[in-house]
Amino acid sequence: MELNFKDFELLVPSLEEPLAFYQNTLGLPLRFRNETFADFDLGYGSRLALWEVDHAVETCGKNAVGTAGNRMMGSFRLKSKDAIDQAFSEFKSKNVNVIQAPARWPWGKYGFYFTDPNEYLWEVFTTDQSKADGFVITEVSFFVEDLERSLSFYKDKVGLTVKRSDQWSIEFQSGEAAFCLKGAAAFNKELGSIITPDGHRCIGAFQFDTGEEVTEYYRQLCENDVEFVTDLIDWPWGARAAYFKDLDGFLWEIYAWVGKPYTW
């Protein structure tokens, strides 16, 4: 079974400031919102979601959320070097906190880096194979201390299949958006120690088509001794979901829609 990495969720103190940043400053199309959650559907790749951290704590527990997402990075892909340079100029004119100007990086991408109002790190990049016309999230990366240890967890316990690997990262097959593990030390050497041990909080999510499919996968992970922080239940917002942690404390959701999503 190929897992579908569909949602990249940032845990934020409140919705208003980051919602304005992503919707108005970056121009991302809002898909869904209620009092504590909002997401953007970019048409391809992963959705970007914002979830108020207090509600995440109510759902997953303070200990789980407190260690989730030690270090992470989302990646927006554009179609060309000219599109990258144009985006860089637009971001600067809008006073976005750009921390690295466009450059050709050793890992084969041309791009730049910025942070949002809650200091979440983003990459804007292109490669020779890029075809996207606008901002799409095609890659989400977790920075880890021990690549081999994390590789074993995601391959042997979670059931992901490695698509490619090199000295910089390990990429797994996960639908339209790639999930990657990267070595923190190697990237800090190039980017200037921007990946910190305490970092930020985020949640990755694998979406299933039916409640039966997510139930079966939940059973498989339990048999593999994956550490869940919640049971698999039907939540009030319409999803059957459970949450688990990896070996570095990153938090994951597995879910399927079994009811009408709660909106306002």
Side-chain angles (χ1 to χ4, degrees), residues 44-60:
Y44 183 86
S46 171
R47 286 189 291 259
L48 171 65
L50 306 171
W51 192 10
E52 290 195 353
V53 67
D54 287 347
H55 192 248
V57 168
E58 291 177 10
T59 302
C60 303

Side-chain angles (χ1 to χ4, degrees), residues 108-130:
K109 294 178 178 178
Y110 179 82
F112 65 92
Y113 296 82
F114 73 93
T115 58
D116 77 358
N118 289 294
E119 298 185 352
Y120 284 103
L121 177 65
W122 286 95
E123 172 186 59
V124 184
F125 79 97
T126 191
T127 66
D128 294 337
Q129 290 78 37
S130 295

Side-chain angles (χ1 to χ4, degrees), residues 176-191:
E176 293 177 350
F179 168 59
C180 300
L181 299 172
K182 298 184 187 297
F187 273 76
N188 272 339
K189 183 179 179 181
E190 298 293 336
L191 298 179

